[in-house]
Amino acid sequence: MTSSAVSRSRRHRLRGTAALVTAAVFAVSAPAVADGQSAALGGESRPARARPTVVLVHGAFADSSSWNGVVARLQKDGYRVVAAANPLRGLPTDSAYVAAVLRSIQGPVVLVGHSYGGAVISQAATGNSQVKALVYVSALIPDKGEVLSSLSAKFPGSALDPALRRVPFKNADGSTGTDLYVAQEAFHAVFAADLPRTTTSVMAATQRPIAAAALADRATSAA
């Protein structure tokens, strides 16, 4: 693929993701237009709904900067955006953290998750009436009781598992765990094949690992 074709592919992906999110925020905001028309036609005036805040949650091997292209497009359209820093330590921990971020935001929220982030938003949004829409971008969407690794295994053909590097670590309390990284030499092909290698080489070097235990976690709720 030529560099110009890669550039077009990247722009297409960003536009597609931004369009998907914009469709959700428009659906949440649409009654404001109807309310305004009602008032203009002499009907009873009702307060317009506030524009939602878009909260973006990244998945494994990434950080919140992976949303930069989508953030720029949404901000250009006048939306307030928060790209949450997903801890990637496990579904209970990560969903509780994102839930706390959601509680800090006033007004309606459109919540977006990519990859593992889809599982996180499903659990984080449970019981939060401010979350008006969930958007899944190539994401896991577990039902209550489903285990993430079992859900992924339903669809064979992934090149991810053979490319994983397992790095043990020790917690402050003496317990141990394992972090999962994508091997740098495989990162481009496995994680972001539509981007230039100059970009993916930086992404590979700065990737955020996910705790292996997270993939064994069971979803306790599904918004």
Side-chain angles (χ1 to χ4, degrees):
M1 185 180 290
T2 66
S3 60
S4 60
V6 169
S7 178
R8 287 195 300 271
S9 176
R10 185 183 186 189
R11 289 197 300 269
H12 178 75
R13 186 178 67 170
L14 290 175
R15 282 197 297 269
T17 301
L20 183 66
V21 177
T22 300
V25 296
F26 180 76
V28 172
S29 307
V33 177
D35 288 346
Q37 289 174 340
S38 176
L41 295 173
E44 183 180 348
S45 178
R46 291 172 291 174
R49 289 187 188 178
R51 268 193 165 194
T53 297
V54 180
V55 178
L56 305 166
V57 180
H58 65 83
F61 319 116
D63 60 26
S64 54
S65 68
S66 63
W67 289 110
N68 283 357
V70 176
V71 170
R73 290 177 182 274
L74 290 171
Q75 288 180 336
K76 184 178 179 181
D77 288 341
Y79 292 100
R80 182 171 182 265
V81 186
V82 175
N86 188 352
L88 303 179
R89 297 295 84 193
L91 191 54
T93 299
D94 300 341
S95 58
Y97 180 85
V98 172
V101 173
L102 296 175
R103 288 193 296 270
S104 74
I105 298 171
Q106 295 185 340
V109 169
V110 168
L111 185 57
V112 185
H114 170 246
S115 189
Y116 166 75
V120 174
I121 69 171
S122 290
Q123 194 153 307
T126 302
N128 189 329
S129 61
Q130 285 181 257
V131 178
K132 305 301 183 183
L134 298 172
V135 180
Y136 296 91
V137 181
S138 299
L140 291 167
I141 315 176
D143 203 350
K144 182 178 179 180
E146 285 191 304
V147 177
L148 301 189
S149 57
S150 299
L151 187 61
S152 298
K154 287 183 177 181
F155 308 99
S158 172
L160 176 61
D161 191 63
L164 290 177
R165 290 181 55 246
R166 291 164 172 81
V167 179
F169 65 87
K170 182 175 287 188
N171 294 305
D173 62 3
S175 61
T176 59
T178 301
D179 270 340
L180 301 178
Y181 293 81
V182 177
Q184 291 199 22
E185 63 274 13
F187 196 92
H188 174 81
V190 170
F191 194 77
D194 61 334
L195 298 180
R197 288 187 182 274
T198 52
T199 300
T200 58
S201 62
V202 174
M203 293 170 64
T206 60
Q207 65 180 290
R208 292 267 313 285
I210 186 170
L215 302 183
D217 285 334
R218 190 179 300 274
T220 58
S221 61

